[in-house]
Amino acid sequence: MVLGVGGGIAAYKICELLRRLTESGHRVRVVPTEAALRFVGEPTWAALSGQPVETGVWDRVHEVPHVRIGQSADLVFVAPATADIMAKAAAGIADDLLTNTLLTARCPVVFAPAMHTEMWEHPATRANVATLRSRGAIVLDPAVGRLTGVDTGRGRLPEPAELFEAARLVLRRGTAEPDLAGRRVLISAGGTREAIDPVRFIGNHSSGRQGYALARTAAARGADVTLVAANVSLPDPAGVSLVRVSSALELAEAMEAERAAADIVVMTAAVADFRPVDSAASKIKKSGAAPAPLELVENPDILAGLVTTREREGTDQTIVGFAAETDDVIANGRAKLARKGCDLLVVNQVGGGRAFGTEDNQATVLGADGTVVDIPTGPKEDLADRVWDLVVERSPGRTP
Ligand code: CTP
């Protein structure tokens, strides 16, 4: 693969990405811009990649590098993608080795932008990002966080480990089109916590892994992803907007705020069915007497509510539910699908160490149209990709 490095301070983080890529067996040709070399020098890239490093088109001309490097790549990954690089790529300018490579590459191209918030939000950058996406490139939204100085905002480069995951997930799709490009996807993940008092809660075992796998794979297929995470302690996926919540009511509020913009909604979160009527303001103490009974009230059914709103508004949003069942998996799943009214229900069997907190998952996907698709045991990202296949089959979407 080609690792294009733009001239931004975040270039130093790309040394770690490069290390991860080469250690996992990828052959990486680093193509920095001249500006990138002001941040991290040529010997560093050459030593870490074990490949020659050039920035211009006038070195080793007999090998025609300005054409060959792009032509022979399986993936071109540009990080940090500066406003300048993306402007040149959008305009088709070819004034150095990296921009030439971008024009000759026929493989998937990923840009991981990093810049100050003002530059990211500037109409010129917005237009360039839209142009690149419309041509099939994957442009990962930058993360929100600390920027170069003391300022914070959107524009931070995602962590190298997550950039590595993004590169890996795009590479595993080979030359498949980014078939979720232009689609806005909203995913809930994790498990809610219903406060009993400031230190105790009613919760569940959901780790958030399946929802995060859906978010990562959707981003690798070009989707614009918002992930609402309830009490998840996994690293933030690259290119995904993250909203953190804790209780079922907070989750309901976040989904309500985001749902109108979404073409596809996937509810993987394990939502507590009940919450304490009152959450004590101070820690409940043992009094020596019998404990007071915990009075509970039912939480709203968020998934059913999303379906009702969709019916009322008459949109063509696709809504996917997840159900964890311990017994009578299919019969319970069918009844649940009918009750909730979603388009697809991904049913998996839990208990006995299956599904919660594990790396692997298996499921049966029930369609509102009566279809049944079995997904065999495998990594959660395989299951996620199968779910996206089924969503795309049902609603091919619009061309971006
Ligand atoms: N769900 C929801 N809001 C709730 C409960 C569940 O949106 N209050 C969603 C979950 O995110 C999931 C689907 O509904 O996508 C099924 O969740 P599950 O807990 O299996 O469903 P319940 O309605 O709670 O069914 P039961 O507890 O009776 O099995």
Side-chain angles (χ1 to χ4, degrees), residues 107-177:
C107 58
V109 176
V110 179
F111 292 89
M115 63 195 73
H116 267 78
T117 312
E118 293 82 351
M119 296 174 87
W120 174 248
E121 289 175 348
H122 193 283
T125 307
R126 306 308 320 137
N128 292 330
V129 168
T131 300
L132 294 170
R133 284 179 174 155
S134 74
R135 293 190 193 133
I138 293 171
V139 184
L140 300 170
D141 276 352
V144 175
R146 180 92 187 256
L147 301 173
T148 322
V150 290
D151 40 355
T152 58
R154 186 167 297 282
R156 186 181 158 87
L157 190 77
E159 293 310 308
E162 287 300 317
L163 292 176
F164 172 76
E165 285 302 307
R168 189 178 62 77
L169 288 171
V170 174
L171 270 171
R172 83 201 276 267
R173 285 181 54 73
T175 51
E177 289 294 309

Side-chain angles (χ1 to χ4, degrees), residues 1-5 10-32 37 40-53 77 79-80 157 159-165 167:
M1 65 177 271
V2 172
L3 185 55
V5 186
Y12 79 92
K13 292 187 178 177
I14 304 308
C15 301
E16 191 188 330
L17 171 61
L18 174 56
R19 189 82 194 201
R20 283 176 187 266
L21 288 164
T22 54
E23 281 179 359
S24 58
H26 298 285
R27 196 150 62 88
V28 186
R29 176 80 186 241
V30 181
V31 183
L37 295 186
V40 179
E42 182 270 340
T44 304
W45 303 119
L48 289 177
S49 68
Q51 302 268 341
V53 174
F77 197 96
L157 190 77
E159 293 310 308
E162 287 300 317
L163 292 176
F164 172 76
E165 285 302 307

